[in-house]
């Protein structure tokens, strides 16, 4: 049986060695020694001035937006071709998601359609580096500056991706990573906000701890702290990350070799000047002799689980039906791709023989 993903883990011995001191200190959470070390390790790895850690990526996204105190009802331009966490993070902050379509090349926000959606209520753009494909960060930056908007990236898929040698952590006002078990780099559950603004450090640290600053209650906020066991997992996994990405590359290259040039099968082209992380292997079945759903079922029949990701798109969710810009028809490219895309299994340690078995089913 092959699942769509399999979490990267250090050896049992490496992890137990890493958590051993916790039995001496009895310090399990609240900015402990592992938390501080992982934060420093990540700031170095990403070459990013500030990294704030969270118990999961979603709360990182919510806190990132909350820190800017936008007036309720302000609009945030985003895309529906994402995991619903992106959209919920906006809405749960009392802000209104405005859905922009994606482009047909890498399924990130279509910068040609972005500016038309800006109104006097728009405060920010929240694009998504889908599948680890980087958004057009330069054009987004230009548009944002022209209109005085903030830019927050949902970079959940893009850990370790670089553009012209600069980490994906360093674009926009802030970027969020998810360290969920299914992501390229995991802390079991976990997440981070990465940013350059020194003034945000204290605020984000307070906000993830009930808004408390010492005894002073500064903000109305929840609890989103990463604990020591999560941080220890991250410290271990980070040591092996580059090797794990290299193993993912081997599998991804094999898929590409087998599936590229097949009529009716579309693959994302490697992006110019981008160092990829091989997080996902999305395939779009567009006029192929089997539909996406047929391929999904044929794989399922031989115990291979692929994932219809992202399907459905978030502007077609019931809970967003009554929002002014909802409706999949308003984002036709996203709707079209969502009906045809399938993410094939991809993880470090996926054997070439397994990739071949999957490709045989698709091409058979
Ligand atoms: C995984 C993911 C999230 C949420 O992260 P969690 O760590 O699972 O809370 C948000 N956005 C996208 C695009 C994701 O893939």
């Amino acid at each position: 049986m092959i699942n769509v993903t399999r979490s990267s883990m250090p050896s049992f011995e490496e992890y137990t060695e890493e958590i051993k001191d916790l039995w001496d200190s009895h310090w399990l959470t609240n900015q402990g020694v592992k938390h501080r070390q992982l934060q420093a390790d990540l700031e170095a790895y990403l070459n990013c001035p500030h990294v704030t850690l969270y118990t999961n990526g979603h709360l990182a996204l919510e806190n990132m937006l909350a820190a800017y105190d936008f007036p309720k009802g302000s609009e945030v331009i985003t895309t529906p071709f994402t995991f619903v966490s992106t959209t919920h993070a906006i809405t749960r902050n009392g802000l209104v998601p405005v859905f922009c379509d994606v482009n047909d090349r890498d399924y990130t926000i279509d910068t040609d359609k972005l500016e038309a959606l800006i109104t006097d209520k728009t405060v920010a753009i929240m694009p998504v580096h889908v599948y680890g494909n980087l958004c057009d960060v330069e054009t987004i930056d230009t548009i944002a500056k022209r209109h005085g908007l903030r830019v927050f990236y949902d970079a959940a898929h893009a850990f370790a991706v670089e553009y012209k040698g600069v980490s994906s952590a360093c674009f926009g006002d802030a970027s969020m990573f998810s360290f969920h078990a299914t992501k390229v780099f995991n802390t079991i559950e976990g997440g981070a906000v990465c940013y350059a603004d020194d003034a945000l450090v204290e605020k984000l640290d307070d906000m993830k701890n009930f808004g408390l600053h010492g005894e002073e209650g500064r903000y109305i906020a929840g609890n989103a702290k990463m604990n020591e066991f999560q941080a220890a997992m991250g410290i271990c996994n980070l040591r092996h990350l580059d090797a794990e990405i290299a193993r993912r590359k081997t599998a991804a290259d094999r898929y590409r070799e087998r599936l590229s040039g097949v009529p009716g099968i579309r693959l994302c082209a490697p992006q110019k000047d981008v160092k990829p992380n091989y997080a996902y292997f999305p395939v779009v079945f567009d006029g192929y002799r089997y539909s996406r759903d047929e391929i999904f079922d044929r794989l399922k029949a031989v115990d291979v689980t692929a994932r219809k990701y992202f399907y459905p798109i978030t502007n077609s969710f019931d809970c967003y039906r009554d929002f002014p810009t909802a409706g999949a028809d308003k984002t036709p490219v996203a709707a079209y791709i969502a009906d045809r895309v399938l993410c094939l299994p991809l993880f470090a340690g996926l054997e070439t023989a397994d990739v071949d078995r999957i490709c045989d089913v698709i091409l058979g």
Side-chain angles (χ1 to χ4, degrees):
M1 183 192 145
I2 304 173
N3 210 343
V4 66
T5 188
R6 193 180 69 186
S7 301
S8 288
M9 294 170 83
S11 71
F12 179 71
E13 292 72 25
E14 184 179 349
Y15 185 64
T16 48
E17 188 58 36
E18 190 65 49
I19 60 176
K20 229 175 187 166
D21 2 336
L22 302 178
W23 265 260
D24 300 326
S25 68
H26 286 247
W27 189 295
L28 305 185
T29 187
N30 288 54
Q31 314 258 19
V33 58
K34 302 297 170 191
H35 182 289
R36 292 200 299 274
Q37 187 186 328
L38 179 62
Q39 184 182 321
D41 288 354
L42 288 173
E43 284 167 358
Y45 184 85
L46 299 168
N47 197 14
C48 179
H50 303 297
V51 173
T52 300
L53 299 174
Y54 291 89
T55 193
N56 60 53
H58 180 76
L59 287 173
L61 265 184
E62 282 198 10
N63 277 260
M64 175 168 81
L65 280 176
Y68 284 80
D69 296 313
F70 297 119
K72 300 290 170 214
S74 300
E75 294 173 355
V76 178
I77 300 174
T78 185
T79 78
F81 193 69
T82 184
F83 185 54
V84 72
S85 169
T86 320
T87 315
H88 285 348
I90 295 168
T91 318
R92 285 169 54 85
N93 268 291
L95 307 171
V96 180
V98 172
F99 297 103
C100 182
D101 209 351
V102 298
N103 72 58
D104 200 33
R105 298 178 310 278
D106 54 30
Y107 319 129
T108 63
I109 198 164
D110 186 341
T111 51
D112 291 337
K113 296 179 181 167
L114 208 168
E115 229 163 349
L117 297 171
I118 297 172
T119 72
D120 55 6
K121 283 192 179 159
T122 309
V123 290
I125 307 169
M126 188 136 98
V128 185
H129 299 307
V130 194
Y131 305 133
N133 292 337
L134 278 203
C135 300
D136 180 350
V137 292
E138 283 154 355
T139 304
I140 291 168
D141 187 57
T142 306
I143 294 173
K145 288 217 167 80
R146 192 183 296 147
H147 297 272
L149 304 177
R150 299 283 185 180
V151 180
F152 305 108
Y153 283 103
D154 181 332
H157 292 182
F159 191 81
V161 175
E162 292 177 6
Y163 175 60
K164 294 183 177 167
V166 177
S167 156
S168 59
C170 302
F171 300 105
D173 291 277
S175 295
M176 178 283 292
F177 291 114
S178 164
F179 304 149
H180 183 257
T182 55
K183 303 300 204 283
V184 167
F185 167 69
N186 85 78
T187 61
I188 311 172
E189 292 256 11
V193 174
C194 302
Y195 51 99
D197 183 0
D198 299 336
L200 264 187
V201 179
E202 194 173 278
K203 184 165 191 183
L204 286 176
D205 278 342
D206 291 347
M207 286 183 73
K208 71 179 182 185
N209 188 31
F210 305 99
L212 295 173
H213 187 80
E215 292 181 336
E216 183 193 337
R218 279 199 185 164
Y219 313 105
I220 301 171
N223 176 7
K225 301 186 298 290
M226 176 180 279
N227 71 51
E228 289 291 274
F229 292 81
Q230 292 173 287
M233 189 65 143
I235 290 167
C236 295
N237 277 337
L238 194 60
R239 290 184 192 123
H240 307 286
L241 182 67
D242 291 343
E244 292 287 277
I245 290 175
R247 297 171 77 201
R248 285 176 172 272
K249 179 181 188 308
T250 305
D253 285 351
R254 184 65 180 171
Y255 273 128
R256 200 170 281 285
E257 203 179 311
R258 295 284 316 267
L259 299 177
S260 59
V262 178
I265 292 185
R266 285 163 61 186
L267 311 179
C268 285
Q271 293 180 296
K272 194 171 173 297
D273 297 322
V274 171
K275 182 174 152 230
N277 65 356
Y278 307 98
Y280 299 88
F281 202 86
V283 176
V284 171
F285 296 95
D286 190 3
Y288 189 56
R289 68 173 174 281
Y290 303 116
S291 70
R292 183 271 309 272
D293 290 1
E294 283 166 344
I295 295 284
F296 178 89
D297 292 340
R298 289 169 74 90
L299 289 170
K300 195 83 207 163
V302 296
D303 264 348
V304 173
T305 309
R307 187 172 176 196
K308 298 173 192 178
Y309 194 60
F310 300 101
Y311 170 84
I313 48 177
T314 70
N315 55 353
S316 67
F317 274 46
D318 276 351
C319 54
Y320 285 106
R321 199 178 37 209
D322 298 331
F323 276 67
T325 62
D329 53 316
K330 300 211 185 64
T331 54
V333 176
Y336 190 89
I337 299 303
D339 281 341
R340 289 164 180 79
V341 71
L342 193 64
C343 282
L344 301 180
L346 181 59
F347 46 84
L350 180 66
E351 303 291 340
T352 302
D354 292 329
V355 175
D356 282 340
R357 187 157 76 84
I358 292 164
C359 293
D360 290 344
V361 172
I362 294 170
L363 299 171

